[in-house]
Amino acid sequence: MEIITSKAIALFFPNPKMELVYYEAIANAIDAGASEITIESRIDPGTGASAFEIIISDNGMGFNNKNFQKFTKLLDVDQPDHKGVGRLVYLNYFDKVNISSIFGNQKRLFEFNNAFCGDFTLKTLDTPLPETKLHFKHFNQKKIHAYQALTPKHLKNNVIRHFFPCFLDKKRRGEYLNLHFLLRTFDTRTFVSQEEESFNVQDLEDLATKSFYAVAESEPRLFEIMYTVKKTPGPTTIVSSICTDGRTIPLKLLHRKNMPAGYEVVFIVFSDFFSGKSDSSRQHLKLDEKTLSALRAMLTEHLSQVLQAAIPEIDRRNRRVLEAFTQRYPHLQGYFSRHSAGLIERQQVLAQAQQKFFDDQRSVLEAETLDQATYEKSLEISSRVLMEYILYRNLIIRKLADIDDHHAEAEIHQTIVPMKRRLQGETLDEQVFFNNAWLLDDKFMNFRTLLSDCDLKHLARDLARDDEVFDQGARPDLTLIFSNDPHATHKVDAVIVELKKTGLPLQQRDAVVSQLRQRARRLARLYPDKIQRIWFYGIVDFNPEFRISLLEDNFIELYSTGNLFYKEVAIIPDNHRENERIPFGMFLLDYPAFINDAAARNKTFLEILKAGFQTNTAAEPCNEHCS
């Protein structure tokens, strides 16, 4: 041979499948004009993988002088769809192939191995019948990975799929070609059993066809799809392939998990676009990633149409999934692709929608000019971002709604604002997901400083006052300080919230009012020149006795989904100012009011944003385009 065989194998077949041994031998028999091909596999499980052999025989023209000379020279081809290297795959799995070929009145014998250099033996026969036999020996792999792949039924199906364009052409021409598959099983070289299957190209199943034009490599190309979708009692099987250079190359467009059970799907694509685009091993398409990705998207769209027409169940189930997505992720409404082949793969569709959203955000942020279209897009993107935050708030509300009598006060507080954490209003963009004080009122998002589970000494420090009076003071569960205009005035408004776990007895509930009064009195006495207004919130369980107690104290019941009471409290700062009265607003509410009122406000925001969206706002996959 004019090329070193061992090096050529690694070059042209870096990772071949064992089926290629069968495919290349069958292809050579077809090229030789054979009408009968026998494919025999021999296994001996007791002896091991080394006993595995293949014998492939045909009645083609054989290795006459011309064909033998071509065999000895790699890359020597006489047809554009031939590669001239297929026989190298033999030696990837077998150390030698004994070949005998009868042509005319002569019989040629030779052994193909890594040292093959064109030697042969030629005999003359008196009554010759054309026959070429390839006997593959000395299997050189450690094991056979799947004996199932050697069964006649499995091998027959794979051969039909691989040579579908060739077999279809022969059927249309009315040519005869019969293939016989055998599996002979031995036990320590003693024959045990035999399985067999046959196939004639005239028995090839008729498939439905669909044609369309698409742009590929900047030119309009005709694509033809041949397909079948039928119910089967067995497991779902899917075949999607590209026809190129007389063979098929698998192109995965659909996974079995995306199909209802019990269907057989065959989807084969023809186009002149694929001519010459198979690699030397005929296992892969020679297309760049961008073109291949566009090709998959385009073919997936057509496969989706075929499946939805053939299996209405797919469309019904997909619609339910998309409706559920729209309800759960309304900020991505219009980004969910409706063109998934088969049953929608939830995680993939969600990830794709999120990526489209990010891409639109980036395009708006990177826009150099703000024309009308970009302006409208920026409004839409802003609404979606806001909706994403509103959805986050829904999660917080649902978490709080799960609170029961066994949840600790600290755990409730941790949900509202992380404990031991100090937030500054100047970094609101970074800390918006830590501050859930909007549960009380949305105006509390506009804060200057938020202290979580901190001593009132910290409150003094944040008001720029040096004072140690609060060293031993009580610790409010949530202290929030904010100002309408902190840069223009030294006066600030303050909100203090006292959280109590559920299930407290009446005595401890009544103590909340006393605690809030003490906080107000102390702040009013020490910081009259700094604190402009103070609101106190006590969040506690309500029962009939506690409600009556509040009414007796002249609290006013406010509109709420739960229990919400308000009272203006007159505070006397100290004994030296008994005639001075400072009003403070005091709110007492239960957890249903706390949670459900926040949920009602949040729902209103969400509905307003959803109503402003148009479905299908995101760009659908572009017109059929493969480059």
Side-chain angles (χ1 to χ4, degrees):
M1 217 176 237
E2 296 183 359
I3 298 177
I4 299 175
T5 307
S6 58
K7 293 185 178 180
I9 293 172
L11 176 63
F12 295 110
F13 294 92
N15 188 28
K17 296 180 179 179
M18 195 176 73
E19 288 92 336
L20 290 181
V21 174
Y22 292 97
Y23 297 161
E24 291 304 324
I26 293 171
N28 289 336
I30 294 173
D31 290 341
S35 59
E36 294 283 350
I37 305 174
T38 300
I39 302 99
E40 178 183 339
S41 303
R42 295 180 177 181
I43 59 174
D44 189 338
T47 304
S50 62
F52 173 50
E53 296 182 354
I54 300 173
I55 300 175
I56 298 180
S57 58
D58 68 80
N59 64 349
M61 67 178 66
F63 282 95
N64 56 29
N65 291 336
K66 178 183 177 182
N67 290 340
F68 183 74
Q69 287 301 314
K70 286 174 55 182
F71 185 87
T72 62
K73 296 179 180 179
L74 289 179
L75 306 176
D76 186 4
V77 299
D78 53 14
Q79 296 183 41
D81 59 351
H82 288 189
K83 303 295 184 182
V85 295
R87 55 198 173 277
L88 292 177
V89 77
Y90 300 161
L91 303 181
N92 214 73
Y93 285 91
F94 296 89
D95 288 339
K96 67 178 183 178
V97 186
N98 291 335
I99 301 174
S100 66
S101 181
I102 300 173
F103 58 95
N105 64 342
Q106 295 181 310
K107 181 177 183 179
R108 190 187 305 274
L109 301 167
F110 62 97
E111 181 179 294
F112 180 54
N113 53 37
N114 280 321
F116 178 69
C117 57
D119 294 337
F120 64 91
T121 300
L122 198 61
K123 296 181 179 181
T124 301
L125 303 177
D126 294 331
T127 56
L129 289 175
E131 181 187 52
T132 296
K133 182 181 293 186
L134 283 67
H135 192 166
F136 299 81
K137 294 183 174 182
H138 296 179
F139 186 68
N140 56 31
Q141 304 294 311
K142 293 182 179 180
K143 64 179 181 178
I144 297 174
H145 292 285
Y147 278 95
Q148 177 67 22
L150 305 179
T151 62
K153 183 176 182 180
H154 187 91
L155 192 55
K156 182 182 82 168
N157 289 336
N158 282 349
V159 168
I160 292 173
R161 294 166 187 168
H162 186 76
F163 290 98
F164 183 84
C166 172
F167 292 168
L168 179 64
D169 184 61
K170 286 186 175 294
K171 179 179 180 179
R172 288 173 173 174
R173 294 173 182 270
E175 297 179 7
Y176 179 88
L177 174 60
N178 191 70
L179 293 91
H180 192 56
F181 300 86
L182 294 170
L183 175 61
R184 293 168 63 85
T185 302
F186 295 80
D187 184 4
T188 318
R189 304 189 183 281
T190 301
F191 175 74
V192 175
S193 63
Q194 176 173 301
E195 301 175 45
E196 56 186 303
E197 291 273 347
S198 292
F199 170 75
N200 192 291
V201 294
Q202 297 305 316
D203 299 329
L204 192 67
E205 180 183 4
D206 292 326
L207 304 182
T209 60
K210 176 182 180 180
S211 300
F212 60 92
Y213 281 91
V215 175
E217 294 183 344
S218 304
E219 294 183 13
R221 306 284 186 129
L222 176 64
F223 289 81
E224 182 181 31
I225 299 171
M226 301 191 71
Y227 65 91
T228 181
V229 181
K230 59 185 180 182
K231 195 74 174 171
T232 177
T236 293
T237 59
I238 301 168
V239 177
S240 54
S241 304
I242 301 297
C243 290
T244 173
D245 303 332
R247 314 274 189 94
T248 62
I249 295 178
L251 182 65
K252 196 164 189 177
L253 303 174
L254 176 67
H255 196 280
R256 278 198 307 177
K257 67 181 179 181
N258 300 118
M259 282 289 296
Y263 280 92
E264 180 181 299
V265 179
V266 176
F267 190 82
I268 302 176
V269 185
F270 295 79
S271 177
D272 290 341
F273 168 68
F274 300 118
S275 297
K277 289 186 169 61
S278 61
D279 65 3
S280 58
S281 68
R282 300 180 188 268
Q283 296 183 94
H284 307 286
L285 288 172
K286 293 192 299 184
L287 295 173
D288 61 70
E289 284 301 320
K290 181 180 178 181
T291 302
L292 185 59
S293 177
L295 175 68
R296 285 181 187 274
M298 179 262 289
L299 295 179
T300 298
E301 163 68 13
H302 286 278
L303 177 56
S304 173
Q305 295 173 8
V306 166
L307 292 177
Q308 291 190 16
I311 312 176
E313 176 189 357
I314 290 178
D315 186 53
R316 290 194 297 269
R317 290 174 62 176
N318 284 351
R319 287 181 181 274
R320 290 198 296 267
V321 170
L322 291 175
E323 288 171 2
F325 275 169
T326 300
Q327 291 299 317
R328 185 164 185 178
Y329 308 103
H331 66 294
L332 297 178
Q333 182 177 347
Y335 285 105
F336 297 116
S337 174
R338 298 179 178 270
H339 304 291
S340 173
L343 299 174
I344 284 176
E345 190 171 348
R346 293 171 177 266
Q347 292 302 318
Q348 179 180 349
V349 170
L350 184 59
Q352 290 173 347
Q354 190 71 59
Q355 185 59 52
K356 291 176 184 177
F357 181 32
F358 288 156
D359 290 344
D360 276 354
Q361 285 180 287
R362 186 175 62 250
S363 66
V364 169
L365 293 174
E366 293 178 353
E368 296 182 358
T369 59
L370 188 65
D371 55 22
Q372 185 63 26
T374 305
Y375 172 69
E376 292 176 359
K377 192 68 177 177
S378 67
L379 292 180
E380 179 194 329
I381 294 298
S382 298
S383 296
R384 291 182 184 274
V385 172
L386 179 57
M387 178 177 284
E388 195 170 18
Y389 172 66
I390 296 298
L391 291 173
Y392 158 78
R393 289 172 39 150
N394 266 350
L395 295 177
I396 295 298
I397 292 170
R398 286 205 295 268
K399 182 177 180 180
L400 285 174
D402 291 336
I403 292 173
D404 57 35
D405 290 350
H406 301 289
H407 283 71
E409 183 179 345
E411 186 172 346
I412 299 169
H413 177 48
Q414 179 71 11
T415 303
I416 300 175
V417 179
M419 299 178 71
K420 310 297 183 182
R421 189 178 185 91
R422 186 171 183 273
L423 308 180
Q424 288 291 336
E426 288 77 9
T427 57
L428 176 61
D429 56 331
E430 297 177 356
Q431 299 173 355
V432 68
F433 290 100
F434 289 109
N435 174 22
N436 295 315
W438 51 265
L439 288 160
L440 296 169
D441 196 310
D442 284 291
K443 66 175 176 283
F444 296 151
M445 292 301 297
N446 180 28
F447 60 87
R448 176 185 174 191
T449 301
L450 186 146
L451 302 179
S452 176
D453 192 40
C454 295
D455 288 335
L456 291 183
K457 173 185 174 181
H458 293 160
L459 176 60
R461 183 190 63 200
D462 285 283
L463 292 174
R465 295 285 298 268
D466 258 343
D467 204 313
E468 298 298 323
V469 175
F470 286 114
D471 276 354
Q472 305 300 322
R475 174 176 291 182
D477 294 295
L478 173 67
T479 300
L480 175 66
I481 306 167
F482 70 101
S483 172
N484 291 331
D485 187 3
H487 300 292
T489 178
H490 295 293
K491 296 287 186 180
V492 296
D493 296 342
V495 174
I496 296 181
V497 178
E498 187 77 15
L499 295 172
K500 293 298 181 184
K501 64 182 179 180
T502 59
L504 291 177
L506 177 62
Q507 182 180 0
Q508 292 187 33
R509 298 179 200 189
D510 285 337
V512 173
V513 177
S514 176
Q515 289 172 350
L516 295 181
R517 284 177 179 271
Q518 293 173 24
R519 308 228 192 281
R521 188 175 296 110
R522 186 170 296 178
L523 289 173
R525 183 173 69 249
L526 295 179
Y527 304 107
D529 59 334
K530 279 289 184 179
I531 298 178
Q532 179 175 267
R533 286 183 297 266
I534 302 176
W535 287 275
F536 290 90
Y537 286 83
I539 302 176
V540 66
D541 253 358
F542 269 63
N543 62 15
E545 290 80 4
F546 184 53
R547 186 173 181 276
I548 291 174
S549 176
L550 294 179
L551 292 173
E552 289 175 343
D553 284 343
N554 296 319
F555 275 81
I556 300 172
E557 187 169 9
L558 302 179
Y559 175 77
S560 170
T561 57
N563 289 293
L564 174 60
F565 286 79
Y566 175 75
K567 182 180 181 181
E568 288 282 345
V569 181
I571 299 298
I572 300 176
D574 54 48
N575 291 328
H576 303 292
R577 292 182 286 174
E578 294 182 358
N579 295 325
E580 184 179 348
R581 299 289 189 274
I582 301 176
F584 291 91
M586 184 181 297
F587 293 86
L588 291 175
L589 63 158
D590 60 7
Y591 285 93
F594 175 51
I595 297 169
N596 296 336
D597 288 356
R601 296 194 308 273
N602 212 52
K603 182 180 179 181
T604 300
F605 293 146
L606 189 60
E607 293 301 325
I608 292 173
L609 290 170
K610 287 172 66 174
F613 288 157
Q614 299 293 327
T615 57
N616 301 318
T617 54
E620 297 292 347
C622 56
N623 293 333
E624 329 217 71
H625 206 285
C626 294
S627 64

Tab-separated table of all heavy atoms in Angstrom, residues 1-12 74 88 114 116:
chain	number	residue	atom	x	y	z
A	1	MET	N	0.843	-1.174	0.000
A	1	MET	CA	0.000	0.000	0.000
A	1	MET	C	0.892	1.242	0.000
A	1	MET	O	1.931	1.247	0.622
A	1	MET	CB	-0.917	-0.013	1.222
A	1	MET	CG	-2.301	0.530	0.941
A	1	MET	SD	-3.386	0.381	2.381
A	1	MET	CE	-4.690	-0.577	1.647
A	2	GLU	N	0.458	2.294	-0.639
A	2	GLU	CA	1.318	3.456	-0.781
A	2	GLU	C	1.260	4.379	0.426
A	2	GLU	O	2.000	5.334	0.516
A	2	GLU	CB	0.929	4.213	-2.061
A	2	GLU	CG	1.178	3.374	-3.320
A	2	GLU	CD	0.858	4.146	-4.578
A	2	GLU	OE1	0.431	5.314	-4.465
A	2	GLU	OE2	1.040	3.600	-5.662
A	3	ILE	N	0.354	4.107	1.367
A	3	ILE	CA	0.258	4.884	2.603
A	3	ILE	C	0.382	3.919	3.769
A	3	ILE	O	-0.151	2.808	3.728
A	3	ILE	CB	-1.087	5.640	2.675
A	3	ILE	CG1	-1.183	6.642	1.518
A	3	ILE	CG2	-1.242	6.349	4.008
A	3	ILE	CD1	-2.498	7.388	1.470
A	4	ILE	N	1.090	4.331	4.827
A	4	ILE	CA	1.241	3.458	5.992
A	4	ILE	C	-0.122	3.255	6.625
A	4	ILE	O	-0.753	4.194	7.133
A	4	ILE	CB	2.229	4.076	7.001
A	4	ILE	CG1	3.608	4.246	6.342
A	4	ILE	CG2	2.328	3.208	8.239
A	4	ILE	CD1	4.604	4.963	7.216
A	5	THR	N	-0.584	2.007	6.625
A	5	THR	CA	-1.958	1.707	7.022
A	5	THR	C	-2.260	2.094	8.453
A	5	THR	O	-3.288	2.715	8.754
A	5	THR	CB	-2.234	0.205	6.827
A	5	THR	OG1	-1.894	-0.146	5.480
A	5	THR	CG2	-3.687	-0.115	7.081
A	6	SER	N	-1.386	1.739	9.386
A	6	SER	CA	-1.665	1.985	10.799
A	6	SER	C	-1.850	3.471	11.099
A	6	SER	O	-2.700	3.852	11.900
A	6	SER	CB	-0.535	1.413	11.659
A	6	SER	OG	0.703	1.989	11.290
A	7	LYS	N	-1.054	4.324	10.453
A	7	LYS	CA	-1.185	5.763	10.671
A	7	LYS	C	-2.430	6.311	9.984
A	7	LYS	O	-3.093	7.217	10.492
A	7	LYS	CB	0.058	6.493	10.170
A	7	LYS	CG	1.306	6.174	10.983
A	7	LYS	CD	2.485	7.012	10.525
A	7	LYS	CE	3.724	6.725	11.382
A	7	LYS	NZ	4.886	7.529	10.958
A	8	ALA	N	-2.767	5.739	8.826
A	8	ALA	CA	-3.955	6.197	8.113
A	8	ALA	C	-5.232	5.899	8.893
A	8	ALA	O	-6.190	6.669	8.870
A	8	ALA	CB	-4.017	5.549	6.729
A	9	ILE	N	-5.256	4.772	9.608
A	9	ILE	CA	-6.437	4.416	10.404
A	9	ILE	C	-6.715	5.497	11.446
A	9	ILE	O	-7.844	5.974	11.600
A	9	ILE	CB	-6.234	3.055	11.091
A	9	ILE	CG1	-6.168	1.935	10.062
A	9	ILE	CG2	-7.355	2.786	12.086
A	9	ILE	CD1	-5.783	0.598	10.650
A	10	ALA	N	-5.679	5.893	12.181
A	10	ALA	CA	-5.845	6.918	13.222
A	10	ALA	C	-6.244	8.261	12.623
A	10	ALA	O	-6.973	9.038	13.240
A	10	ALA	CB	-4.555	7.056	14.018
A	11	LEU	N	-5.775	8.534	11.401
A	11	LEU	CA	-6.055	9.817	10.761
A	11	LEU	C	-7.500	9.902	10.273
A	11	LEU	O	-8.200	10.882	10.536
A	11	LEU	CB	-5.099	10.031	9.592
A	11	LEU	CG	-5.325	11.300	8.750
A	11	LEU	CD1	-5.104	12.543	9.605
A	11	LEU	CD2	-4.393	11.302	7.543
A	12	PHE	N	-7.953	8.865	9.574
A	12	PHE	CA	-9.274	8.915	8.951
A	12	PHE	C	-10.387	8.366	9.830
A	12	PHE	O	-11.557	8.682	9.628
A	12	PHE	CB	-9.255	8.145	7.625
A	12	PHE	CG	-8.372	8.770	6.583
A	12	PHE	CD1	-7.189	8.161	6.182
A	12	PHE	CD2	-8.709	9.984	6.004
A	12	PHE	CE1	-6.372	8.736	5.218
A	12	PHE	CE2	-7.905	10.569	5.050
A	12	PHE	CZ	-6.725	9.944	4.647
A	74	LEU	N	-5.044	3.986	-1.288
A	74	LEU	CA	-5.979	4.830	-0.550
A	74	LEU	C	-6.288	6.095	-1.338
A	74	LEU	O	-5.441	6.615	-2.078
A	74	LEU	CB	-5.398	5.212	0.812
A	74	LEU	CG	-5.300	4.097	1.861
A	74	LEU	CD1	-4.695	4.642	3.136
A	74	LEU	CD2	-6.653	3.472	2.134
A	88	LEU	N	-10.147	0.932	5.773
A	88	LEU	CA	-9.242	1.070	6.914
A	88	LEU	C	-9.946	0.763	8.236
A	88	LEU	O	-9.311	0.336	9.200
A	88	LEU	CB	-8.661	2.481	6.966
A	88	LEU	CG	-7.685	2.868	5.841
A	88	LEU	CD1	-7.258	4.313	6.003
A	88	LEU	CD2	-6.486	1.947	5.841
A	114	ASN	N	-2.294	-4.784	8.618
A	114	ASN	CA	-1.500	-3.551	8.706
A	114	ASN	C	-0.253	-3.587	7.833
A	114	ASN	O	0.291	-2.537	7.479
A	114	ASN	CB	-1.092	-3.298	10.159
A	114	ASN	CG	-2.224	-2.662	10.960
A	114	ASN	OD1	-2.950	-1.812	10.447
A	114	ASN	ND2	-2.390	-3.090	12.199
A	116	PHE	N	-0.172	-5.037	4.823
A	116	PHE	CA	-0.575	-5.319	3.436
A	116	PHE	C	0.137	-4.382	2.462
A	116	PHE	O	0.148	-3.170	2.636
A	116	PHE	CB	-2.093	-5.147	3.313
A	116	PHE	CG	-2.614	-5.352	1.925
A	116	PHE	CD1	-2.599	-6.612	1.350
A	116	PHE	CD2	-3.117	-4.284	1.185
A	116	PHE	CE1	-3.093	-6.808	0.067
A	116	PHE	CE2	-3.604	-4.466	-0.078
A	116	PHE	CZ	-3.596	-5.733	-0.642
